[in-house]
């Protein structure tokens, strides 16, 4: 059986290119190397605070505002080493309680959902890495084995328990996101209960313990929309640090058509042919998904062309 992905390349998924950055994990425990890198004049540093960074839109595009290490070396706790580029430049994020005062009028605060679509692959990747680490640090301050407060080591990438010696690593929660099509090649799109009228997108959900990702696709579609799924094909993944997910994108083929939404997660779900979706976009009945989510890329893979520009999310 052929699927849309046999013919059409996957549209670029935001946050999935390295942008030339080597994470250089070998340096994370080398305090002498980190200290030298921090004080090197070529080193670039940006502040992350509450999932936001400063960006500058005044050039040709939007750039992450980065400076040399502009202050005394902070404690290891607040300094995340993110990697090096092909020229040997080192990149750090400083986690702070607030963003620095505007360096000039061109800088503004932005979160990853917005900036991830505007920044270069290098800058978006650096920001995603820093935001993911900040979220993990914020939510995992205590040892899950003994309850003691942990300390941050490895340049932001490990939390160590001084009481029991346990080491805790950044957590990533796998979630599946899938575009379901039926035998008539219609796509199943749903509207979550808290979404505004007209916003429809792919179904999604978390992988449960003891479950494969393919099983999670089948279960989630059944639970949320009452539709049975047969063939499941993996397409691409996307880091989704809101706060700590990894989105695993699929195309899935339905073996039933009747819809019965659960009412808890989905308020409504509908089958759309391409013509019906195109008409619904034109009339404003359906709002195109937008932003950096892989959802829009999965829909485009089936739709066969870029979606109309949508609303910021
Ligand atoms: Zn412990």
């Amino acid at each position: 059986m052929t699927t849309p992905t046999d013919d059409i390349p996957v549209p670029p998924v935001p946050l999935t290119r390295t942008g030339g950055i080597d994470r250089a994990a070998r340096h994370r425990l080398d305090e002498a190397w980190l200290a030298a890198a921090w004080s090197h004049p070529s080193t670039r540093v940006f502040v992350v605070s509450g999932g936001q960074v400063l960006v500058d839109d005044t050039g040709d595009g939007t750039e992450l505002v980065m400076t040399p290490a502009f202050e005394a070396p902070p404690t290891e706790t607040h300094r995340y080493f993110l990697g090096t580029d092909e020229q040997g430049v080192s990149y750090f994020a400083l986690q702070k309680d607030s963003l620095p005062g505007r360096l000039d009028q061109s800088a503004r605060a932005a979160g990853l959902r917005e900036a991830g679509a505007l920044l270069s692959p290098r800058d978006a990747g650096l920001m995603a890495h820093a935001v993911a680490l900040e979220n993990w640090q914020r939510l995992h301050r205590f040892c899950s084995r003994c309850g003691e407060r942990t300390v941050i080591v490895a340049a932001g990438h490990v939390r160590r328990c001084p009481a029991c010696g346990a080491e805790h690593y950044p957590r990533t929660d796998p979630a599946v996101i899938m575009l379901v099509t039926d035998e008539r090649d219609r796509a199943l799109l749903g509207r979550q209960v808290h979404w505004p009228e007209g916003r429809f997108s792919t179904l999604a959900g978390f992988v449960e313990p003891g479950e494969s990702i393919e099983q999670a696709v089948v279960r989630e579609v059944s639970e949320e929309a009452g539709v049975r799924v047969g063939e499941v094909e993996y397409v691409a993944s996307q880091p989704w640090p809101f706060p700590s997910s990894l989105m695993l994108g699929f195309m899935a083929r339905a073996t039933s058509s009747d819809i019965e939404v659960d009412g808890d997660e989905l308020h409504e779900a509908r089958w759309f042919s391409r013509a019906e979706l195109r008409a619904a976009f034109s009339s404003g009945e359906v709002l195109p998904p937008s932003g950096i989510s892989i959802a829009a890329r999965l829909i485009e893979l089936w739709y066969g062309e870029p979606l109309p520009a949508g609303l910021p999310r």
Side-chain angles (χ1 to χ4, degrees), residues 166-211:
E167 288 193 338
H168 303 282
Y169 291 85
R171 171 173 169 162
T172 299
D173 304 323
V176 290
I177 183 165
M178 46 278 176
L179 183 71
V180 183
T181 56
D182 71 359
E183 60 184 9
R184 294 165 56 190
D185 207 21
R186 299 178 301 174
L188 179 66
L189 301 180
R191 182 160 76 82
Q192 292 184 18
V193 289
H194 57 275
W195 284 357
E197 192 77 29
R199 176 181 290 175
F200 283 83
S201 190
T202 53
L203 308 191
F206 284 106
V207 181
E208 292 197 343
E211 187 176 52

Side-chain angles (χ1 to χ4, degrees), residues 291-313:
I292 60 172
S293 168
I294 191 175
R297 305 291 89 75
L298 293 174
I299 296 171
E300 283 175 353
L301 194 56
W302 161 80
Y303 194 59
E305 60 185 88
L307 303 179
L311 299 172
R313 54 196 295 185

Side-chain angles (χ1 to χ4, degrees), residues 240-311:
W240 197 247
F242 306 107
S244 56
S245 295
L246 174 67
M247 301 303 276
L248 303 155
F250 292 86
M251 304 297 279
R253 185 66 82 173
T255 58
S256 71
S257 292
D258 291 345
I259 293 171
E260 187 175 346
V261 296
D262 62 1
D264 293 328
E265 294 187 61
L266 280 193
H267 179 77
E268 183 183 3
R270 287 166 54 185
W271 292 105
F272 291 90
S273 69
R274 291 179 185 81
E276 287 166 345
L277 190 58
R278 190 170 292 115
F281 286 152
S282 296
S283 69
E285 181 190 358
V286 167
L287 305 173
S290 62
I292 60 172
S293 168
I294 191 175
R297 305 291 89 75
L298 293 174
I299 296 171
E300 283 175 353
L301 194 56
W302 161 80
Y303 194 59
E305 60 185 88
L307 303 179
L311 299 172

Side-chain angles (χ1 to χ4, degrees), residues 104-125:
D104 55 56
Q105 291 188 333
S106 62
R108 66 181 178 88
L112 186 59
R113 286 175 194 269
E114 181 209 353
L118 304 174
L119 295 170
S120 68
R122 183 200 70 177
D123 287 5

Side-chain angles (χ1 to χ4, degrees), residues 143 145-148 161 163-166 168:
C143 179
R145 185 184 291 174
C146 76
E148 188 62 51
C161 177
C164 76
H168 303 282

Side-chain angles (χ1 to χ4, degrees), residues 121-236:
R122 183 200 70 177
D123 287 5
L126 290 168
M127 181 179 180
H129 189 173
V131 168
L133 284 175
E134 183 192 37
N135 286 339
W136 172 65
Q137 303 286 5
R138 177 169 53 85
L139 297 171
H140 295 86
R141 289 177 292 167
F142 296 92
C143 179
S144 57
R145 185 184 291 174
C146 76
E148 188 62 51
R149 183 180 285 274
T150 54
V151 295
I152 301 173
V153 295
H157 293 76
V158 176
R159 293 194 78 115
R160 185 174 289 150
C161 177
C164 76
E167 288 193 338
H168 303 282
Y169 291 85
R171 171 173 169 162
T172 299
D173 304 323
V176 290
I177 183 165
M178 46 278 176
L179 183 71
V180 183
T181 56
D182 71 359
E183 60 184 9
R184 294 165 56 190
D185 207 21
R186 299 178 301 174
L188 179 66
L189 301 180
R191 182 160 76 82
Q192 292 184 18
V193 289
H194 57 275
W195 284 357
E197 192 77 29
R199 176 181 290 175
F200 283 83
S201 190
T202 53
L203 308 191
F206 284 106
V207 181
E208 292 197 343
E211 187 176 52
S212 74
I213 52 177
E214 291 84 359
Q215 288 172 328
V217 171
V218 173
R219 177 185 50 75
E220 283 288 341
V221 175
S222 173
E223 285 178 359
E224 293 189 6
V227 170
R228 289 196 300 275
V229 160
E231 185 181 345
V232 170
E233 182 189 9
Y234 172 76
V235 176

Side-chain angles (χ1 to χ4, degrees), residues 23-31 34 76-83 92 129 133 136-137 151-160 167-170:
R23 291 189 173 215
R26 61 194 176 278
H27 297 312
R28 289 176 189 161
L29 289 169
D30 187 340
E31 294 299 334
L34 290 168
E76 171 70 15
T77 301
H78 302 293
R79 188 180 68 185
Y80 307 154
F81 172 61
L82 303 177
F92 289 86
H129 189 173
L133 284 175
W136 172 65
Q137 303 286 5
V151 295
I152 301 173
V153 295
H157 293 76
V158 176
R159 293 194 78 115
R160 185 174 289 150
E167 288 193 338
H168 303 282
Y169 291 85

